[in-house]
mmCIF file of all heavy atoms in Angstrom:
data_model
loop_
_atom_site.group_PDB
_atom_site.id
_atom_site.type_symbol
_atom_site.label_atom_id
_atom_site.label_comp_id
_atom_site.label_asym_id
_atom_site.label_seq_id
_atom_site.Cartn_x
_atom_site.Cartn_y
_atom_site.Cartn_z
ATOM 1 N N ILE A 909 5.204 -5.249 6.511
ATOM 2 C CA ILE A 909 6.090 -5.108 7.620
ATOM 3 C C ILE A 909 5.409 -4.330 8.735
ATOM 4 O O ILE A 909 5.510 -4.660 9.952
ATOM 5 C CB ILE A 909 7.396 -4.434 7.205
ATOM 6 C CG1 ILE A 909 8.138 -5.291 6.176
ATOM 7 C CG2 ILE A 909 8.331 -4.221 8.421
ATOM 8 C CD1 ILE A 909 9.362 -4.608 5.563
ATOM 9 N N SER A 910 4.744 -3.273 8.355
ATOM 10 C CA SER A 910 3.961 -2.464 9.345
ATOM 11 C C SER A 910 2.501 -2.900 9.203
ATOM 12 O O SER A 910 1.835 -2.596 8.208
ATOM 13 C CB SER A 910 4.075 -0.991 9.030
ATOM 14 O OG SER A 910 3.266 -0.205 9.903
ATOM 15 N N PRO A 911 1.956 -3.670 10.163
ATOM 16 C CA PRO A 911 0.651 -4.294 9.988
ATOM 17 C C PRO A 911 -0.491 -3.246 9.997
ATOM 18 O O PRO A 911 -0.456 -2.258 10.736
ATOM 19 C CB PRO A 911 0.543 -5.223 11.195
ATOM 20 C CG PRO A 911 1.513 -4.692 12.187
ATOM 21 C CD PRO A 911 2.597 -4.089 11.423
ATOM 22 N N ALA A 912 -1.475 -3.517 9.167
ATOM 23 C CA ALA A 912 -2.650 -2.639 9.085
ATOM 24 C C ALA A 912 -3.369 -2.565 10.443
ATOM 25 O O ALA A 912 -3.908 -1.513 10.804
ATOM 26 C CB ALA A 912 -3.598 -3.127 8.017
ATOM 27 N N ALA A 913 -3.354 -3.666 11.174
ATOM 28 C CA ALA A 913 -4.071 -3.675 12.477
ATOM 29 C C ALA A 913 -3.479 -2.687 13.431
ATOM 30 O O ALA A 913 -4.157 -2.111 14.269
ATOM 31 C CB ALA A 913 -3.974 -5.096 13.092
ATOM 32 N N ARG A 914 -2.192 -2.393 13.321
ATOM 33 C CA ARG A 914 -1.545 -1.386 14.223
ATOM 34 C C ARG A 914 -2.115 -0.027 13.954
ATOM 35 O O ARG A 914 -2.393 0.726 14.910
ATOM 36 C CB ARG A 914 -0.046 -1.443 14.034
ATOM 37 C CG ARG A 914 0.737 -0.506 14.927
ATOM 38 C CD ARG A 914 2.205 -0.931 15.008
ATOM 39 N NE ARG A 914 2.322 -2.275 15.601
ATOM 40 C CZ ARG A 914 3.310 -3.137 15.336
ATOM 41 N NH1 ARG A 914 4.237 -2.806 14.442
ATOM 42 N NH2 ARG A 914 3.357 -4.341 15.914
ATOM 43 N N LEU A 915 -2.204 0.356 12.713
ATOM 44 C CA LEU A 915 -2.727 1.689 12.380
ATOM 45 C C LEU A 915 -4.214 1.754 12.691
ATOM 46 O O LEU A 915 -4.762 2.819 13.060
ATOM 47 C CB LEU A 915 -2.458 2.058 10.910
ATOM 48 C CG LEU A 915 -1.097 2.626 10.589
ATOM 49 C CD1 LEU A 915 -0.943 3.995 11.214
ATOM 50 C CD2 LEU A 915 0.040 1.719 11.045
ATOM 51 N N GLY A 916 -4.909 0.624 12.516
ATOM 52 C CA GLY A 916 -6.306 0.570 12.890
ATOM 53 C C GLY A 916 -6.494 0.794 14.393
ATOM 54 O O GLY A 916 -7.401 1.545 14.813
ATOM 55 N N ARG A 917 -5.630 0.212 15.183
ATOM 56 C CA ARG A 917 -5.680 0.421 16.654
ATOM 57 C C ARG A 917 -5.397 1.884 16.964
ATOM 58 O O ARG A 917 -6.020 2.474 17.835
ATOM 59 C CB ARG A 917 -4.631 -0.465 17.329
ATOM 60 C CG ARG A 917 -4.378 -0.135 18.799
ATOM 61 C CD ARG A 917 -5.347 -0.867 19.713
ATOM 62 N NE ARG A 917 -5.130 -0.514 21.095
ATOM 63 C CZ ARG A 917 -4.129 -1.011 21.881
ATOM 64 N NH1 ARG A 917 -3.250 -1.862 21.374
ATOM 65 N NH2 ARG A 917 -4.039 -0.627 23.130
ATOM 66 N N LEU A 918 -4.437 2.483 16.299
ATOM 67 C CA LEU A 918 -4.108 3.905 16.553
ATOM 68 C C LEU A 918 -5.307 4.747 16.233
ATOM 69 O O LEU A 918 -5.639 5.664 17.056
ATOM 70 C CB LEU A 918 -2.909 4.310 15.670
ATOM 71 C CG LEU A 918 -2.433 5.736 15.889
ATOM 72 C CD1 LEU A 918 -1.889 5.969 17.306
ATOM 73 C CD2 LEU A 918 -1.307 6.045 14.907
ATOM 74 N N ALA A 919 -5.981 4.514 15.132
ATOM 75 C CA ALA A 919 -7.151 5.306 14.797
ATOM 76 C C ALA A 919 -8.241 5.131 15.805
ATOM 77 O O ALA A 919 -8.950 6.086 16.148
ATOM 78 C CB ALA A 919 -7.663 4.888 13.404
ATOM 79 N N HIS A 920 -8.374 3.913 16.316
ATOM 80 C CA HIS A 920 -9.419 3.643 17.332
ATOM 81 C C HIS A 920 -9.103 4.361 18.631
ATOM 82 O O HIS A 920 -10.010 4.907 19.251
ATOM 83 C CB HIS A 920 -9.555 2.110 17.561
ATOM 84 C CG HIS A 920 -10.446 1.748 18.701
ATOM 85 N ND1 HIS A 920 -11.800 1.822 18.625
ATOM 86 C CD2 HIS A 920 -10.129 1.368 19.987
ATOM 87 C CE1 HIS A 920 -12.317 1.428 19.784
ATOM 88 N NE2 HIS A 920 -11.335 1.182 20.636
ATOM 89 N N GLU A 921 -7.861 4.318 19.045
ATOM 90 C CA GLU A 921 -7.474 4.919 20.325
ATOM 91 C C GLU A 921 -7.510 6.449 20.314
ATOM 92 O O GLU A 921 -7.891 7.076 21.292
ATOM 93 C CB GLU A 921 -6.097 4.451 20.710
ATOM 94 C CG GLU A 921 -5.949 2.949 20.998
ATOM 95 C CD GLU A 921 -6.599 2.566 22.335
ATOM 96 O OE1 GLU A 921 -6.980 3.455 23.104
ATOM 97 O OE2 GLU A 921 -6.679 1.350 22.603
ATOM 98 N N LEU A 922 -7.093 7.060 19.217
ATOM 99 C CA LEU A 922 -6.986 8.502 19.169
ATOM 100 C C LEU A 922 -8.153 9.189 18.448
ATOM 101 O O LEU A 922 -8.334 10.387 18.653
ATOM 102 C CB LEU A 922 -5.626 8.923 18.513
ATOM 103 C CG LEU A 922 -4.358 8.458 19.186
ATOM 104 C CD1 LEU A 922 -3.171 9.148 18.558
ATOM 105 C CD2 LEU A 922 -4.371 8.669 20.690
ATOM 106 N N GLY A 923 -8.869 8.465 17.652
ATOM 107 C CA GLY A 923 -10.001 9.062 16.958
ATOM 108 C C GLY A 923 -9.601 10.302 16.151
ATOM 109 O O GLY A 923 -8.653 10.244 15.383
ATOM 110 N N PRO A 924 -10.293 11.403 16.334
ATOM 111 C CA PRO A 924 -9.947 12.601 15.606
ATOM 112 C C PRO A 924 -8.601 13.226 16.007
ATOM 113 O O PRO A 924 -8.130 14.201 15.383
ATOM 114 C CB PRO A 924 -11.088 13.588 15.968
ATOM 115 C CG PRO A 924 -11.624 13.092 17.289
ATOM 116 C CD PRO A 924 -11.435 11.595 17.253
ATOM 117 N N GLY A 925 -7.949 12.643 17.015
ATOM 118 C CA GLY A 925 -6.638 13.137 17.431
ATOM 119 C C GLY A 925 -5.491 12.684 16.538
ATOM 120 O O GLY A 925 -4.345 13.101 16.732
ATOM 121 N N VAL A 926 -5.793 11.825 15.539
ATOM 122 C CA VAL A 926 -4.777 11.395 14.596
ATOM 123 C C VAL A 926 -5.250 11.561 13.181
ATOM 124 O O VAL A 926 -6.432 11.285 12.895
ATOM 125 C CB VAL A 926 -4.342 9.927 14.890
ATOM 126 C CG1 VAL A 926 -5.515 9.006 14.779
ATOM 127 C CG2 VAL A 926 -3.226 9.496 13.939
ATOM 128 N N VAL A 927 -4.387 11.965 12.283
ATOM 129 C CA VAL A 927 -4.668 12.056 10.852
ATOM 130 C C VAL A 927 -4.004 10.859 10.196
ATOM 131 O O VAL A 927 -2.772 10.730 10.277
ATOM 132 C CB VAL A 927 -4.183 13.368 10.208
ATOM 133 C CG1 VAL A 927 -4.421 13.380 8.729
ATOM 134 C CG2 VAL A 927 -4.909 14.530 10.896
ATOM 135 N N MET A 928 -4.771 10.003 9.547
ATOM 136 C CA MET A 928 -4.245 8.825 8.867
ATOM 137 C C MET A 928 -4.012 9.154 7.384
ATOM 138 O O MET A 928 -4.886 9.721 6.730
ATOM 139 C CB MET A 928 -5.217 7.663 9.018
ATOM 140 C CG MET A 928 -5.705 7.423 10.430
ATOM 141 S SD MET A 928 -4.426 6.966 11.628
ATOM 142 C CE MET A 928 -3.978 5.333 11.000
ATOM 143 N N THR A 929 -2.825 8.782 6.896
ATOM 144 C CA THR A 929 -2.516 9.012 5.468
ATOM 145 C C THR A 929 -2.131 7.689 4.823
ATOM 146 O O THR A 929 -0.972 7.284 4.800
ATOM 147 C CB THR A 929 -1.364 10.045 5.301
ATOM 148 O OG1 THR A 929 -1.717 11.252 5.960
ATOM 149 C CG2 THR A 929 -1.128 10.328 3.804
ATOM 150 N N PRO A 930 -3.116 6.955 4.299
ATOM 151 C CA PRO A 930 -2.798 5.710 3.578
ATOM 152 C C PRO A 930 -2.292 6.027 2.174
ATOM 153 O O PRO A 930 -2.740 6.958 1.477
ATOM 154 C CB PRO A 930 -4.165 5.001 3.514
ATOM 155 C CG PRO A 930 -5.192 6.108 3.529
ATOM 156 C CD PRO A 930 -4.577 7.233 4.350
ATOM 157 N N VAL A 931 -1.255 5.272 1.748
ATOM 158 C CA VAL A 931 -0.650 5.477 0.456
ATOM 159 C C VAL A 931 -0.779 4.194 -0.332
ATOM 160 O O VAL A 931 -0.368 3.122 0.175
ATOM 161 C CB VAL A 931 0.822 5.915 0.602
ATOM 162 C CG1 VAL A 931 1.463 6.089 -0.755
ATOM 163 C CG2 VAL A 931 0.916 7.173 1.398
ATOM 164 N N LEU A 932 -1.241 4.244 -1.542
ATOM 165 C CA LEU A 932 -1.386 3.055 -2.349
ATOM 166 C C LEU A 932 -0.035 2.404 -2.680
ATOM 167 O O LEU A 932 0.920 3.136 -2.991
ATOM 168 C CB LEU A 932 -2.116 3.377 -3.632
ATOM 169 C CG LEU A 932 -3.581 3.826 -3.520
ATOM 170 C CD1 LEU A 932 -4.144 4.196 -4.898
ATOM 171 C CD2 LEU A 932 -4.454 2.750 -2.860
ATOM 172 N N GLY A 933 0.025 1.075 -2.539
ATOM 173 C CA GLY A 933 1.270 0.392 -2.868
ATOM 174 C C GLY A 933 1.581 -0.733 -1.922
ATOM 175 O O GLY A 933 1.015 -0.821 -0.817
ATOM 176 N N ARG A 934 2.510 -1.601 -2.317
ATOM 177 C CA ARG A 934 2.954 -2.713 -1.515
ATOM 178 C C ARG A 934 4.332 -2.490 -0.900
ATOM 179 O O ARG A 934 4.952 -3.400 -0.358
ATOM 180 C CB ARG A 934 2.929 -3.993 -2.377
ATOM 181 C CG ARG A 934 3.165 -5.286 -1.620
ATOM 182 C CD ARG A 934 3.161 -6.466 -2.559
ATOM 183 N NE ARG A 934 1.870 -6.765 -3.056
ATOM 184 C CZ ARG A 934 0.989 -7.555 -2.433
ATOM 185 N NH1 ARG A 934 1.282 -8.113 -1.310
ATOM 186 N NH2 ARG A 934 -0.218 -7.756 -2.964
ATOM 187 N N ARG A 935 4.821 -1.311 -0.954
ATOM 188 C CA ARG A 935 6.134 -1.001 -0.462
ATOM 189 C C ARG A 935 6.100 -0.715 1.049
ATOM 190 O O ARG A 935 5.043 -0.909 1.676
ATOM 191 C CB ARG A 935 6.711 0.230 -1.242
ATOM 192 C CG ARG A 935 6.965 -0.123 -2.699
ATOM 193 C CD ARG A 935 7.368 1.147 -3.479
ATOM 194 N NE ARG A 935 8.580 1.702 -2.972
ATOM 195 C CZ ARG A 935 9.812 1.255 -3.246
ATOM 196 N NH1 ARG A 935 9.983 0.234 -4.058
ATOM 197 N NH2 ARG A 935 10.882 1.852 -2.792
ATOM 198 N N HIS A 936 7.221 -0.257 1.613
ATOM 199 C CA HIS A 936 7.264 -0.040 3.041
ATOM 200 C C HIS A 936 7.585 1.399 3.458
ATOM 201 O O HIS A 936 6.916 1.950 4.297
ATOM 202 C CB HIS A 936 8.300 -1.004 3.653
ATOM 203 C CG HIS A 936 8.493 -0.796 5.150
ATOM 204 N ND1 HIS A 936 7.470 -0.915 6.067
ATOM 205 C CD2 HIS A 936 9.622 -0.537 5.855
ATOM 206 C CE1 HIS A 936 7.948 -0.718 7.275
ATOM 207 N NE2 HIS A 936 9.229 -0.471 7.181
ATOM 208 N N SER A 937 8.592 1.973 2.866
ATOM 209 C CA SER A 937 9.162 3.245 3.319
ATOM 210 C C SER A 937 8.545 4.448 2.683
ATOM 211 O O SER A 937 9.097 4.977 1.665
ATOM 212 C CB SER A 937 10.687 3.245 3.150
ATOM 213 O OG SER A 937 11.242 2.100 3.786
ATOM 214 N N VAL A 938 7.416 4.905 3.173
ATOM 215 C CA VAL A 938 6.704 5.988 2.521
ATOM 216 C C VAL A 938 7.495 7.263 2.435
ATOM 217 O O VAL A 938 7.654 7.853 1.370
ATOM 218 C CB VAL A 938 5.362 6.260 3.276
ATOM 219 C CG1 VAL A 938 4.661 7.452 2.644
ATOM 220 C CG2 VAL A 938 4.448 5.053 3.242
ATOM 221 N N LEU A 939 7.997 7.739 3.559
ATOM 222 C CA LEU A 939 8.619 9.056 3.602
ATOM 223 C C LEU A 939 9.957 9.055 2.858
ATOM 224 O O LEU A 939 10.246 10.052 2.150
ATOM 225 C CB LEU A 939 8.787 9.513 5.019
ATOM 226 C CG LEU A 939 7.510 9.644 5.841
ATOM 227 C CD1 LEU A 939 7.768 10.134 7.261
ATOM 228 C CD2 LEU A 939 6.515 10.552 5.127
ATOM 229 N N THR A 940 10.748 8.043 2.957
ATOM 230 C CA THR A 940 12.025 8.003 2.230
ATOM 231 C C THR A 940 11.738 7.863 0.745
ATOM 232 O O THR A 940 12.459 8.425 -0.090
ATOM 233 C CB THR A 940 12.971 6.914 2.716
ATOM 234 O OG1 THR A 940 12.296 5.642 2.731
ATOM 235 C CG2 THR A 940 13.418 7.225 4.140
ATOM 236 N N ASP A 941 10.709 7.133 0.338
ATOM 237 C CA ASP A 941 10.315 7.057 -1.047
ATOM 238 C C ASP A 941 9.898 8.440 -1.564
ATOM 239 O O ASP A 941 10.283 8.876 -2.637
ATOM 240 C CB ASP A 941 9.134 6.110 -1.224
ATOM 241 C CG ASP A 941 9.551 4.640 -1.273
ATOM 242 O OD1 ASP A 941 10.755 4.346 -1.308
ATOM 243 O OD2 ASP A 941 8.652 3.759 -1.288
#
């Protein structure tokens, strides 16, 4: 539902200004889980 390309673009645009936290799994709602 949330495409990987979107987070890839965010990492490209902000570089060290963003911390990416990938979580293993095929689910969607990380924080509510």
